Amino acid sequence: GSCQGNSVERKIYIPLNKTAPCVRLLNATHQIGCQSSISGDTGVIHVVEKEDDLKWVLVDGPHPPYMILLDGNLFNRSVMLQLKGTSRVSGLAVAIAKPSPPQGFSPGLKCPNDGFGVYSKDYGPQFAHCNKTVWNPVGSGLSYEDFDFPIFLLEDANETQVIKQCYQDHNVPHDGSGPEYPLCAMQLFSHMHAVTSTVTCMRRSSLQSTFSINPEVVCDPLLDYNVWSTLQPINSSGKVDPEKEVIIVATRIDSHSFFWNIAPGAESAVSSFVTHLAAAEALHKVSDVHLLQRNIMFTFFQGETFDYIGSSRMVYDMEKDKFPLRLDNIHSFVELNQVALRNDSILWMHTDPVSRMNESVEVQVRNLLDILSNSSMGANVTLQEAGYSQPLPPSSFQRFLRARHIPGVVLTDHRTAFQNRYYQSMYDTTENIRMQYPEGLSPEETLEYVTDTAKSLAEVATVVARALYQLAGGANNTSVIQADPKTVSRMLYGFLIKMNNSWFQSIIKPDIKGILGDVPQHYVAVSSPVNTTYLVQYVLANLTGTVVNLTKEECLNPEKIPSSEKEMYEYAWVQGSLDPNSTSRVPYCVRSTVHLSKALSPAFELRQWGSTEYSTWTESRWKEIRARIFLVASKELEIITLVVGVAILIFSLLATYFINAKADVLFSIPRDPGAVAY
């Protein structure tokens, strides 16, 4: 049987295990996020469920500092700035609002990635800094504030209830006067090692690495990998022929929210990259793709939320000849941005008005728009131009335009401001993109159930795939090109609800099956590749690759096989599905053109930590992150306990001293009366 010690600590503290902290991020000039003091911050719990409750914390309460349990609907800029301006608050635990705040909630910026896109004082100054269009009007910029106290998200409603119960039992004020001791308190630990800016923390880490045997690194660059593949195989270690034209299709695969590693990104990332994956599958099924005069490259960028890390790195590599393609090879660019919240099935086509002033670019862009519009004939998607006076929305395409005038289009569900009212927030979930399932389905049935959202995204994927086929020079009837809503359903389920599902298990390598956590998050992070990157890589390989008849040994070492064309293809030995009659799997070898390329900002490659050209985001390191609640006694009782303890200690010392001094008297051995002295 199991034996469990009943430690004093467990009798005193109740740990909160399902929490997500706000951590510190840094760029060239600022630090943002939150941290606690080095030994954690403690305060008496006060529940704030309406704005009037703040008065007790900020003015009336006799037991500061307070730890606030804040209702999710009050987690907004005006409340947070009030709390930031007082010393009476030592920390914050935020309960998720259910349902999501109806007015919307976006802790991101009103003008995302401002200053790192194409528009500046030298290029389309009338469009710079969102002068023309504020893309994210709901954006409060909370994620980009710096708080000097810890803020945690409570992910488990049961734990929130435990805290509220402790508050009800001990902390509720009576008739305006303070409650009696003992009081319920909370302690939050989230001390960050990095301070000031990326320039400072990278310099410190660099000095440590140079002079110390055990260097203490204080921050790490946000980094990961981009995923890319081509319709026709190319030599990934060589260079594509300068005459060969390639169409790039792109999407981002990362998202963000106020809290660390809470980034569901349903509309901001998942809807678009799932549509992209479905379009890639539809194109690979076409019989004459190997005859197309232009190649198509499917690209999935990581770290785009943080000033275009992935796309700026790919452009940099292309310019420096460190990538199979050069910028000269790019014929045109099609990007899928947020596409799940369409009004009346309209998809908006955004182009760059500045580069279109060039006549040859204008001709190519016009051709691109016409092909896209024609491809939607007969589909339940209407494509419309956003308008000549409209700039591009925040998009990876902007980083390519910075390098050269490439004809391109960005497809979105919004003409001006985002339809997404929960951009870069913890509420950008399945509810936001209206994914609904019938009651009582098993996980396996839910995985296979085709939702209306999946059908509508499959329609977008079909239109995109047909347009790409024509752009690449395809001459056949495009009506056979059709994205599969079932595939889209599976992907939405896997990337938004449950990563650890039977389909994902069957398509990944056995040695990385540990990445399949439960709830998917799409934050770029500092340890790479993250789950999202791996899964996009293996889903893309599964949808566009071919199963080849190789043994495990041959699949893992394809260079040993004469006909493997190792430079053209990647080989993966994947787990396979469960054998229906047993618990073992049937593994197989997949050959695909899917590759990874580094998504680390060039600023770190060039050691230009103060760069204004490239992203400079880093994440601070920390020692421990934890939260717990306990009962705290009054100051008087604590002082009495301390004084009595010290008095007993002094008395013990004195007693020990006197006993020791008189030991020969107290402990002398009496003589034996039987002994006779002569």
Side-chain angles (χ1 to χ4, degrees):
S2 68
C3 164
Q4 203 173 18
N6 203 358
S7 73
V8 174
E9 184 176 10
R10 273 218 306 280
K11 287 188 168 181
I12 298 173
Y13 300 106
I14 299 174
L16 303 171
N17 297 321
K18 293 282 297 227
T19 60
C22 154
V23 303
R24 176 169 289 165
L25 299 174
L26 308 101
N27 68 6
T29 50
H30 289 75
Q31 61 178 31
I32 62 169
C34 327
Q35 77 154 353
S36 74
S37 58
I38 198 157
S39 52
D41 286 325
T42 307
V44 172
I45 295 170
H46 191 74
V47 175
V48 174
E49 292 181 323
K50 51 188 188 299
E51 213 150 334
D52 297 349
D53 297 341
L54 284 171
K55 190 167 179 285
W56 182 264
V57 172
L58 298 174
V59 182
D60 300 340
H63 306 121
Y66 284 96
M67 275 283 174
I68 298 175
L69 174 56
L70 188 70
D71 182 87
N73 289 301
L74 289 176
F75 184 52
N76 57 45
R77 188 174 180 86
S78 68
V79 168
M80 292 306 293
L81 292 185
Q82 283 183 66
L83 302 180
K84 190 178 175 179
T86 175
S87 58
R88 290 175 57 92
V89 174
S90 60
L92 202 63
V94 180
I96 292 184
K98 293 249 169 64
S100 304
Q103 71 279 14
F105 173 75
S106 170
L109 299 169
K110 289 188 189 300
C111 189
N113 293 4
D114 186 22
F116 289 86
V118 70
Y119 303 112
S120 65
K121 64 180 192 304
D122 306 318
Y123 186 100
Q126 69 273 33
F127 304 125
H129 313 302
C130 297
N131 282 343
K132 186 82 182 167
T133 308
V134 176
W135 295 107
N136 185 28
V138 189
S140 65
L142 257 191
S143 286
Y144 296 84
E145 289 288 331
D146 182 35
F147 295 94
D148 58 359
F149 52 78
I151 304 176
F152 278 52
L153 178 71
L154 299 171
E155 297 180 75
D156 185 353
N158 293 336
E159 288 190 343
T160 308
Q161 202 45 52
V162 167
I163 299 169
K164 284 185 175 174
Q165 194 56 54
C166 190
Y167 167 79
Q168 295 287 348
D169 295 345
H170 300 280
N171 294 12
V172 176
H174 301 295
D175 308 324
S177 65
E180 296 292 312
Y181 282 99
L183 296 173
C184 192
M186 185 188 292
Q187 190 171 26
L188 302 177
F189 297 85
S190 64
H191 181 65
M192 300 287 138
H193 294 180
V195 291
T196 313
S197 68
T198 289
V199 178
T200 305
C201 78
M202 288 301 288
R203 188 176 63 238
R204 285 179 183 172
S205 298
S206 169
L207 283 169
Q208 285 267 358
S209 305
T210 312
F211 298 112
S212 172
I213 300 168
N214 298 314
E216 173 101 3
V217 175
V218 291
C219 66
D220 301 282
L222 294 181
L223 80 156
D224 207 83
Y225 288 90
N226 298 322
V227 182
W228 64 275
S229 82
T230 50
L231 195 57
Q232 301 158 352
I234 61 170
N235 184 341
S236 61
S237 54
K239 289 281 172 286
V240 172
D241 186 21
E243 281 74 59
K244 184 69 180 169
E245 292 185 319
V246 179
I247 299 155
I248 292 188
V249 198
T251 42
R252 66 175 58 189
I253 56 174
D254 69 303
S255 186
H256 179 43
S257 83
F258 187 86
F259 298 99
W260 183 74
N261 210 21
I262 300 290
E267 157 77 337
S268 64
V270 178
S271 67
S272 53
F273 76 69
V274 159
T275 307
H276 185 169
L277 287 161
E281 181 192 32
L283 275 169
H284 270 270
K285 286 179 177 171
V286 180
S287 55
D288 63 338
V289 286
H290 57 286
L291 302 173
L292 296 176
Q293 67 192 71
R294 296 187 186 99
N295 204 346
I296 298 173
M297 177 168 142
F298 305 102
T299 319
F300 299 83
F301 291 120
Q302 250 305 3
E304 294 300 274
T305 308
F306 294 96
D307 301 336
Y308 307 120
I309 295 173
S311 52
S312 62
R313 178 53 186 259
M314 189 172 277
V315 171
Y316 174 82
D317 285 346
M318 286 179 175
E319 288 177 324
K320 297 281 183 272
D321 267 359
K322 294 178 179 176
F323 196 78
L325 255 69
R326 296 180 185 85
L327 289 166
D328 300 350
N329 293 115
I330 302 173
H331 169 267
S332 50
F333 199 104
V334 177
E335 180 168 354
L336 282 158
N337 220 310
Q338 308 180 68
V339 292
L341 299 175
R342 304 201 308 283
N343 268 343
D344 305 324
S345 331
I346 296 173
L347 203 56
W348 295 96
M349 301 184 287
H350 299 262
T351 54
D352 171 41
V354 182
S355 59
R356 284 179 73 178
M357 290 174 186
N358 176 318
E359 206 170 313
S360 67
V361 173
E362 168 61 26
V363 170
Q364 289 172 286
V365 171
R366 196 64 270 155
N367 176 48
L368 184 56
L369 296 173
D370 292 344
I371 287 176
L372 275 160
S373 299
N374 295 339
S375 301
S376 66
M377 299 292 182
N380 192 15
V381 180
T382 314
L383 278 128
Q384 291 191 14
E385 288 183 53
Y388 207 90
S389 59
Q390 268 282 103
L392 285 167
S395 50
S396 310
F397 177 42
Q398 292 202 28
R399 289 303 302 197
F400 284 79
L401 272 179
R402 272 177 86 129
R404 64 179 303 145
H405 285 178
I406 295 166
V409 63
V410 178
L411 302 175
T412 72
D413 55 21
H414 55 90
R415 182 177 188 171
T416 53
F418 295 162
Q419 296 276 8
N420 185 2
R421 290 173 305 128
Y422 303 108
Y423 183 72
Q424 287 183 13
S425 93
M426 56 206 173
Y427 301 114
D428 190 5
T429 57
T430 49
E431 287 81 26
N432 188 27
I433 59 168
R434 304 164 195 156
M435 259 171 79
Q436 288 168 332
Y437 294 95
E439 291 286 314
L441 293 184
S442 70
E444 207 54 38
E445 289 166 338
T446 317
L447 173 68
E448 300 296 341
Y449 181 82
V450 179
T451 59
D452 290 342
T453 305
K455 287 175 192 164
S456 99
L457 291 179
E459 284 163 358
V460 175
T462 299
V463 170
V464 170
R466 289 175 181 176
L468 290 169
Y469 175 76
Q470 286 178 284
L471 263 176
N476 291 347
N477 186 353
T478 58
S479 60
V480 294
I481 303 174
Q482 198 75 43
D484 183 3
K486 208 163 192 59
T487 308
V488 177
S489 288
R490 286 172 156 194
M491 291 193 281
L492 287 173
Y493 179 79
F495 285 113
L496 288 173
I497 298 171
K498 193 170 194 282
M499 276 191 168
N500 199 2
N501 62 70
S502 59
W503 184 48
F504 278 5
Q505 286 165 8
S506 70
I507 63 172
I508 62 169
K509 289 179 173 178
D511 56 339
I512 58 161
K513 60 174 185 274
I515 66 163
L516 294 176
D518 249 9
V519 182
Q521 304 297 351
H522 307 292
Y523 169 62
V524 54
V526 294
S527 54
S528 58
V530 292
N531 308 9
T532 311
T533 307
Y534 271 133
L535 287 166
V536 168
Q537 179 190 2
Y538 286 106
V539 168
L540 185 58
N542 177 272
L543 299 179
T544 63
T546 48
V547 177
V548 286
N549 190 13
L550 295 179
T551 64
K552 182 178 181 181
E553 190 59 38
E554 291 169 331
C555 192
L556 296 175
N557 303 291
E559 62 279 357
K560 293 180 179 174
I561 313 158
S563 61
S564 72
E565 295 179 290
K566 177 77 180 85
E567 297 77 37
M568 311 295 270
Y569 296 102
E570 292 285 326
Y571 291 81
W573 184 256
V574 300
Q575 290 198 114
S577 309
L578 277 171
D579 193 334
N581 305 326
S582 72
T583 52
S584 62
R585 294 184 174 275
V586 186
Y588 56 91
C589 188
V590 175
R591 185 186 75 184
S592 70
T593 59
V594 180
H595 307 277
L596 296 181
S597 70
K598 234 181 193 173
L600 167 66
S601 169
F604 298 101
E605 202 88 343
L606 302 165
R607 293 175 72 86
Q608 293 173 359
W609 303 318
S611 172
T612 52
E613 167 83 3
Y614 297 113
S615 168
T616 53
W617 286 104
T618 51
E619 180 185 275
S620 172
R621 288 203 177 180
W622 58 81
K623 196 164 191 177
E624 62 171 350
I625 283 183
R626 60 194 173 98
R628 59 191 187 180
I629 61 171
F630 54 95
L631 291 181
V632 63
S634 68
K635 284 278 179 282
E636 293 79 6
L637 182 58
E638 285 178 348
I639 290 166
I640 291 166
T641 309
L642 179 67
V643 169
V644 170
V646 170
I648 291 170
L649 175 67
I650 293 167
F651 175 75
S652 308
L653 290 172
L654 288 170
T656 308
Y657 172 76
F658 284 116
I659 290 167
N660 198 36
K662 304 290 182 187
D664 52 340
V665 177
L666 294 169
F667 304 114
S668 59
I669 300 165
R671 289 183 176 179
D672 186 352
V676 180
Y678 292 99

